[in-house]
Amino acid sequence: MLISWNWISDFVDLNGIDPESAAERLTMAGLEVAGVNKLCPESLSKVISAQIIAKEPHPEADKLSLCQVTDGQGEFTIVCGASNMKAGDFVALAPLKTRLPNGMTIKKAKIRGVVSIGMLCSASEMGFEEDSAGIMILPENSPLGKPVVDLLGLQDTILEFEITPNRGDCLSVIGVAREIAAIYKRKFTLPEISLQESPKKSSDLAAITISDTDLCPRYVGRVVNDVVLGESPLWLKARLKAAGVRPISNVVDVSNYVMLETGQPLHAFDLDLLQKSQIDVRRAGSSNKFITLDEEERKIDPDTLMICDGKEPVAIAGIMGGLNSEINSETKNVLIESAFFQPASIRRSARLLNLSTEASYRFERGVDSQATARAATRAAELLQNLAQGKVAQGAIDICPAPRSMPKITFRPAKANALLGLELDLDSIKDILARLDIEIVAEQSGTLIVIPPAWRFDLEREVDLIEEVARLFGYDRVPVTAPTLSDPEVKDAPEVAALLRVREAMQAFGYCEAVNYSFIDPQAVVKLDFAAESRFFDFVKLKNPISSEMAVMRTTLLPGLLTNLNDNLRVNVKNIRLFEVGRTFFAVTGQKQPAEELYISGVACGRRYHEHFSAADETVDFFDLKGVLEEIASTLNLELEFAAENYFPCLTPGQAAAIKFGDLEVGSVGQLDHKVAAAYGIDQDLFLFELALKPLLEKSAQTAVTYQGLARFPAVYRDLAFLVNKTVAAGSMLDYMQGQHKLLTAVEVFDLFQGDSLPSGKKSLAFRLTFQDMNKTLTDKKVNAIIAKLIKGIETTFQGEVR
């Protein structure tokens, strides 16, 4: 936002304050000034006022004139191509060696035989306008020889602000002037508005109703008749251009000028184009198309607030006017709109329309509802003075529900404690008074205050404490090191356990992924879960970012499968990813969803990094089973695996349900090729999903025990059995591990199936470890245990030792 330093001086005395130091003080007070720049280049100060003494045609050119001009010190002959001046006019003279903003340097020149000393400038040549029809004519009786930028008040400095969203009150000259007055302890003054009202009454010329008082608590209208449309004066155009606003016409420029000055957006309607001279503020309803001032046809949401006349919409409230009621060359009578619209409504409508304007930018942040009438009156005054308008008596002010500011309890002692200051009560009262914060009661060191109507951001005591710090000066708040104790800090058991799980996954070469908690419901459909399963108990978002993020996730797998596919598309073939995150399930009869913590992983590609010494093997079911066993071991727990297909998206025979005691806590296996294809994946991949909550709860209750190293050697034996193919190796492992206390470990080290074996048979080889902590085991003892195991396998599994 750009603001003129001279414009600020209309409201606060700036004597003794330079723009650069003010910029620094404002920035330290929370209003960041990003730049301080001169409005006009220094060289332009050489352009001075002069008067044309005589004008006559050029003897050698029909379209040129010879002007004899004086600057009060001497006379000059100027050859000029413009025709809009006459003898006696005051003009802008660029003497020799003057450099203009367009890069031209004025030199003595002979034009058709006549020497021209200097140049009479147009407004465009001086950079004040984009285009000019002739040279600039200065006001009558302008003092001669004075810099034109000084005469026109253009010797100015522009401050560039970056206003934070909570300080909508500073999106105006008056708002910044208030801040400077408060910082420098100077008086802020609003100039008196002078109107000469006509006998006609505004209420007789127009009618205003508010059908939706929730979205529009106040609407003010003023009527100005018989305006003469034309150009704005140079001073007003210069102020608009300095603020980055393009001048259009005096009526439109007045609306923009008052908005920049007060922060209150205005709109000027051609009153004669309003059907029945009526205004009704209501929601769009069935009126779903509207052409705005930029000649764009826009689709209007039914809940968008509209300004309507007696027949149809004429403006989108707080955003942009309509083409059907715009100010044009035939406009004579004007209705000035000044209103307060609910910020949330304007923000929503602007986003739906993808349309942001200077007006919507201010309404979204909130405007002073108590200043709407003054802004309309200020605009009427300017139309009276600049467009020869006749201002009708009074304003039509519809305010069914006046907005009141909250009372806030403020404790000065609390402010001092929080800020580390020792301000006395009078100093704090002075700061509050400079901010126009009214003290309505005081008792036992506590103040009851009411913030001004333009300060939407002051709602709590801590907001007022921040204001005290701002005005006192952040740079004056003493810097002290905080007092810290040094207790032993320990992570919560769950946090420490999750850290160990993550470290285990990383040790296996897995990279952690972090995905949105929002997913496309179709991503779950692709996983082939049964329609009645809990995976479809979605928590739906009321206002989703997109249709692909419409529900809260019930499984982590869609995100990981998408991540894996993204990697495959850029030719990354060996992938290991995991994610720890929460899933969300809607619960019938409850407002809050159920949240559950899960870990999921996906893997594909080579088992080992490509190397001449590494086997060319790919990831399989047992790799992920080993990862899950390590997770359990990390938590001092054990998992069991059952040959069941808990997840229908997994390939039969290559999947297992994960069990923890009596609980089914997840599933692991190879993703079915059809499901993989639905995700755009065309290679074998394996995945798992595991509920962490029951594991973490049990882990927290499990004490870690230790035992000393064995003093006596272990004994190892290998056994191979011929069994039916339907016999699960896990069942045999469980059986053997429970047969004798000296049998400390059993593991499968070989599986063989082939034509050399009887039909329907397979060979399973086991490595057995025997250990006695108190003595050395003898072969006799080990052989006795093995004989018992063999007999048990033969009886229980119909196995045959090989």
Side-chain angles (χ1 to χ4, degrees), residues 10-71:
D10 291 350
F11 304 98
V12 61
D13 180 13
L14 298 177
N15 287 329
I17 306 174
D18 64 85
E20 288 75 17
S21 64
E24 184 177 351
R25 292 284 296 273
L26 285 165
T27 299
M28 290 302 299
L31 265 66
E32 182 180 356
V33 180
V36 180
N37 304 292
K38 294 291 184 183
L39 175 61
C40 299
E42 195 65 34
S43 60
L44 207 57
S45 62
K46 293 183 179 180
V47 180
I48 58 175
S49 56
Q51 185 177 23
I52 300 176
I53 300 172
K55 174 189 173 187
E56 58 185 44
H58 192 291
E60 300 295 332
D62 294 339
K63 294 185 178 181
L64 298 179
S65 301
L66 299 180
C67 296
Q68 198 70 19
V69 302
T70 178
D71 64 355

Side-chain angles (χ1 to χ4, degrees), residues 271-316:
L271 183 58
D272 297 323
L273 295 179
L274 297 179
Q275 298 295 321
K276 300 181 182 180
S277 299
Q278 290 182 354
I279 287 290
D280 181 28
V281 187
R282 60 176 174 79
R283 300 185 194 225
S286 59
S287 302
N288 60 358
K289 288 187 178 179
F290 182 70
I291 300 176
T292 46
L293 283 173
D294 56 2
E295 301 183 5
E296 292 283 337
E297 184 177 79
R298 302 183 184 276
K299 185 176 180 180
I300 306 299
D301 182 81
D303 286 329
T304 295
L305 192 66
M306 303 294 289
I307 310 300
C308 305
D309 62 10
K311 178 183 177 182
E312 60 187 355
V314 292
I316 305 174

Side-chain angles (χ1 to χ4, degrees), residues 238-258:
R239 282 190 171 180
L240 290 179
K241 289 186 68 177
V245 177
R246 180 174 62 89
I248 298 174
S249 68
N250 50 5
V251 176
V252 176
D253 292 349
V254 162
S255 296
N256 290 329
Y257 183 89
V258 174

Side-chain angles (χ1 to χ4, degrees), residues 13-222:
D13 180 13
L14 298 177
N15 287 329
I17 306 174
D18 64 85
E20 288 75 17
S21 64
E24 184 177 351
R25 292 284 296 273
L26 285 165
T27 299
M28 290 302 299
L31 265 66
E32 182 180 356
V33 180
V36 180
N37 304 292
K38 294 291 184 183
L39 175 61
C40 299
E42 195 65 34
S43 60
L44 207 57
S45 62
K46 293 183 179 180
V47 180
I48 58 175
S49 56
Q51 185 177 23
I52 300 176
I53 300 172
K55 174 189 173 187
E56 58 185 44
H58 192 291
E60 300 295 332
D62 294 339
K63 294 185 178 181
L64 298 179
S65 301
L66 299 180
C67 296
Q68 198 70 19
V69 302
T70 178
D71 64 355
Q73 301 293 323
E75 296 184 4
F76 310 91
T77 299
I78 308 290
V79 178
C80 187
S83 59
N84 65 315
M85 68 287 189
K86 64 183 183 299
D89 282 345
F90 291 82
V91 293
L93 170 64
L96 298 179
K97 299 183 179 180
T98 301
R99 183 175 177 83
L100 298 176
N102 60 10
M104 179 190 297
T105 299
I106 307 303
K107 300 177 181 177
K108 184 186 291 187
K110 182 180 285 189
I111 303 175
R112 297 289 182 92
V114 179
V115 177
S116 180
I117 305 175
M119 187 177 87
L120 301 184
C121 299
S122 67
S124 61
E125 288 165 335
M126 297 182 68
F128 300 153
E129 296 181 0
E130 293 181 5
D131 190 25
S132 300
I135 67 169
M136 179 186 294
I137 306 299
L138 300 177
E140 291 186 12
N141 301 317
S142 296
L144 298 178
K146 300 295 183 183
V148 171
V149 291
D150 290 342
L151 290 176
L152 298 178
L154 301 177
Q155 196 70 272
D156 200 359
T157 300
I158 305 302
L159 305 183
E160 181 181 355
F161 286 87
E162 293 184 356
I163 305 297
T164 53
N166 65 313
R167 292 304 306 271
D169 61 296
C170 289
L171 292 171
S172 65
V173 176
I174 285 177
V176 172
R178 280 197 184 104
E179 284 292 303
I180 291 176
I183 291 169
Y184 284 94
K185 300 183 181 181
R186 300 204 174 183
K187 185 179 180 181
F188 171 81
T189 304
L190 283 175
E192 292 292 329
I193 296 176
S194 176
L195 288 181
Q196 297 176 357
E197 296 180 322
S198 69
K200 298 178 181 179
K201 295 182 178 180
S202 291
S203 56
D204 293 335
L205 301 173
I208 297 174
T209 57
I210 303 176
S211 296
D212 197 319
T213 57
D214 291 335
L215 301 187
C216 179
R218 188 176 189 186
Y219 192 102
V220 177
R222 287 211 74 130

Side-chain angles (χ1 to χ4, degrees), residues 630-764:
E630 180 60 28
I631 289 175
S633 176
T634 299
L635 299 175
N636 301 311
L637 303 172
E638 290 186 5
L639 295 175
E640 297 177 2
F641 298 87
E644 300 170 6
N645 209 1
Y646 175 51
F647 282 5
C649 60
L650 300 180
T651 303
Q654 288 289 321
I658 308 169
K659 294 192 174 182
F660 179 60
D662 295 331
L663 298 176
E664 202 163 69
V665 291
S667 196
V668 58
Q670 181 180 354
L671 187 65
D672 184 83
H673 287 162
K674 290 183 180 179
V675 177
Y679 277 90
I681 301 168
D682 61 356
Q683 69 181 76
D684 291 347
L685 72 94
F686 295 82
L687 59 81
F688 71 85
E689 184 157 88
L690 175 66
L692 285 174
K693 182 181 178 182
L695 276 66
L696 295 175
E697 290 178 347
K698 184 64 177 178
S699 178
Q701 302 167 4
T702 303
V704 179
T705 58
Y706 298 90
Q707 64 181 26
L709 295 175
R711 296 168 53 199
F712 303 96
V715 176
Y716 303 96
R717 292 285 191 273
D718 292 341
L719 286 177
F721 294 96
L722 193 66
V723 295
N724 292 330
K725 287 184 177 180
T726 56
V727 174
S731 299
M732 295 179 70
L733 282 172
D734 292 340
Y735 174 80
M736 286 189 281
Q737 286 174 338
Q739 290 304 301
H740 202 285
K741 65 179 181 180
L742 295 181
L743 181 59
T744 57
V746 182
E747 59 184 14
V748 178
F749 72 87
D750 185 51
L751 165 66
F752 177 72
Q753 300 179 87
D755 295 337
S756 61
L757 297 180
S759 177
K761 297 290 185 177
K762 64 181 176 182
S763 174
L764 287 172

